[in-house]
């Protein structure tokens, strides 16, 4: 009786490693503030006010308050801002108030953004809570 033993070659395929995708570095508060100000300026926000909260509260380093001409303008600004923040590497962005768009809050961590219709902004007057005067609505932009 003869035993036949065949030994074959073993072919292995090693898949090349996937490229390492490193997340974009998270912007520092100053860079984040500048990015938000540019976004609001590009989207023609009215009466933009930056409030420095550093040392006053632990909720954020900056609060930015701006007005939009109408609910559609406010919604568009908020969504574009959220997209731009995500593109800059920021994660966990919260946007509140989009269904009504009278007052939309964009929480970007170190910077909190409030977008208001002018009459709602005047009613709540959140700038006054931080010791600032409320800006007068821009007449030329409100008519648009």
């Amino acid at each position: 009786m003869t035993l036949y033993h065949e030994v074959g070659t073993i072919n292995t395929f090693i898949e090349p490693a996937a490229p390492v995708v490193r997340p974009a570095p998270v912007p520092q508060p100053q860079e984040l503030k500048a990015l938000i100000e540019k976004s609001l300026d590009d989207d023609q926000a009215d009466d933009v006010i930056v409030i420095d909260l550093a040392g006053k509260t632990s909720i954020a380093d900056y609060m930015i308050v701006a007005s939009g001409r109408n609910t559609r303008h406010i919604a568009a600004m908020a969504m574009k801002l959220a997209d731009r923040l995500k593109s800059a590497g920021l994660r966990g962005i919260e946007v509140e108030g989009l269904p009504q768009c009278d007052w939309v809050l964009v929480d970007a961590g170190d910077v909190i953004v409030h977008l208001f219709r002018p009459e709602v902004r005047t009613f709540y007057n959140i700038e006054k809570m931080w010791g600032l005067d409320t800006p007068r609505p821009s007449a030329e932009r409100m008519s648009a």
Side-chain angles (χ1 to χ4, degrees):
M1 174 175 218
T2 317
L3 289 175
Y4 182 77
H5 185 57
E6 182 176 330
V7 177
T9 59
I10 300 174
N11 294 324
T12 60
F13 177 72
I14 300 174
E15 212 171 303
V20 176
V21 178
R22 300 188 196 287
V26 177
Q28 294 299 310
Q30 283 282 38
E31 297 167 328
L32 194 56
K33 176 182 76 81
L35 186 141
I36 292 168
E37 286 178 302
K38 177 162 179 10
S39 178
L40 294 175
D41 185 54
D42 289 349
D43 293 336
Q44 300 179 353
D46 293 326
D47 305 318
V48 178
I49 291 183
V50 177
I51 303 169
D52 187 355
L53 299 178
K56 296 178 185 175
T57 182
S58 61
I59 61 169
D61 290 339
Y62 296 98
M63 180 182 295
I64 299 177
V65 183
S67 297
R69 292 183 291 276
N70 53 50
T71 56
R72 292 177 91 185
H73 184 218
I74 292 167
M77 286 191 301
M79 297 310 295
K80 285 182 184 177
L81 178 58
D83 289 343
R84 289 171 180 148
L85 292 170
K86 287 176 188 172
S87 296
L90 198 64
R91 299 293 173 250
I93 301 158
E94 296 288 331
V95 180
E96 299 291 332
L98 280 177
Q100 295 80 24
C101 290
D102 287 332
W103 176 359
V104 175
L105 180 129
V106 179
D107 185 351
D110 291 325
V111 181
I112 297 172
V113 182
H114 296 274
L115 303 173
F116 288 99
R117 282 191 309 112
E119 44 292 343
V120 176
R121 183 175 180 175
T122 302
F123 178 79
Y124 286 105
N125 199 8
I126 65 170
E127 295 97 329
K128 190 172 181 178
M129 286 193 303
W130 298 99
L132 300 173
D133 290 329
T134 305
R136 297 182 189 277
S138 301
E140 68 275 358
R141 289 265 176 105
M142 286 183 63
S143 61

